[in-house]
Amino acid sequence: MASAAKSLTSLLLISSLFLASWFCATGAQGTIPIVNGLSWTFYNSKCPKVESIIRKQLEKVFKKDIEQAAGLLRLHFHDCFVQGCDGSVLLDGSASGPSEQDAPPNLTLRAKAFEIIEDLRRRVEKACGLVVSCSDILALAARDSVYLSGGPDYDVPLGRRDGLKFATRNETLDNLPPPFANADTILSSLATKGFDATDVVALSGGHTIGISHCSSFTDRLYPTQDPIMDKTFANNLKKVCPTRDFNSTTVLDIRSPNKFDNKYYVDLMNRQGLFTSDQDLYTNKKTRGIVTSFAVNQSLFFDKFVVAMIKMSQLKVLTGNQGEIRTSCSERNSGYSYLESVVEEGLDALSGLI
């Protein structure tokens, strides 16, 4: 009897947390403009069950391995930041050119994340036909990764089309700030995409879940330790990564590595941010106050995270007759080479000068 009562109490607590997240997120998203071609109700008639299909399957996936949530969220970030949310990061390379996946920032994207997206695509197509894009599926999977790991729930504007080409190596490098970048560099980079300081700090909160390879932060440990880093934290990291190039991983958020919450910001206040790009958000005067506000108010963080995520999910989207709906997320529907895309871009540029 006592055990049953305890289980019921736990269930009610979890439900109340999810409800609080939902009300907070709903209020935030109501004020966000959406680009032409996207809609909050895009699939209501074409594929009304698309969101439930994706969420139900991800519930099963995360029950087996919650760490996959971070992989899917990161995949969405890396898709949107480079040439817009067009699913181009999902494309495999070919003899005509390397894919975005071959660029250094994407080499550590989880292989399983790509498999999960393709599995979701097949399930959605089986239920509705070929009407939902891979880029929309990725956006929904990222949202569900946040929610199912404890974060806010929110609506996603839909109607994206899949891109016909992938970005070059240089384009990928130029649009994904490295972990050793400081706050000023990141603020400047993301300002070109329409993000303000609050957006930047909120999006960085995605590091509340996930892992990192040693190579992304050992420059803060060797040959000399970053004096900003907490000494105990640094010593623990040296046990995981005894040399600069040691091949191992550690969690991004030491307090709650698999729960989407505001503890990442508490880490920063305690000088326990893993990357320079993380810790400098607290060091920099432009963002320090935002970090502090999120550390003491999780609802505020959730609210601002939702706003920033919906903004990010609309970067340079293809809509209407642009792009396509892929029959496989990893390849374009017909024979379209990287070389052809370069030629087309060159012709477009020339036509603009004539």
Side-chain angles (χ1 to χ4, degrees), residues 190-220:
L190 297 193
T192 64
K193 302 180 188 300
F195 296 108
D196 60 24
T198 300
D199 294 327
V200 171
V201 177
L203 289 174
S204 298
H207 284 174
T208 187
I209 55 176
I211 61 173
S212 169
H213 289 76
C214 293
S215 57
S216 293
F217 60 85
T218 47
D219 61 313
R220 301 185 68 201

Side-chain angles (χ1 to χ4, degrees), residues 230-241:
D230 174 74
K231 291 182 179 180
T232 300
F233 180 58
N235 288 335
N236 289 334
L237 289 178
K238 288 176 181 177
K239 294 176 183 177
V240 177
C241 307

Side-chain angles (χ1 to χ4, degrees), residues 163-209:
L164 303 178
K165 62 184 180 66
F166 36 72
T168 65
R169 174 190 173 100
N170 285 341
E171 287 171 329
T172 304
L173 287 168
D174 289 345
N175 286 280
L176 291 173
F180 52 80
N182 61 29
D184 282 330
T185 298
I186 296 172
L187 289 169
S188 177
S189 174
L190 297 193
T192 64
K193 302 180 188 300
F195 296 108
D196 60 24
T198 300
D199 294 327
V200 171
V201 177
L203 289 174
S204 298
H207 284 174
T208 187
I209 55 176

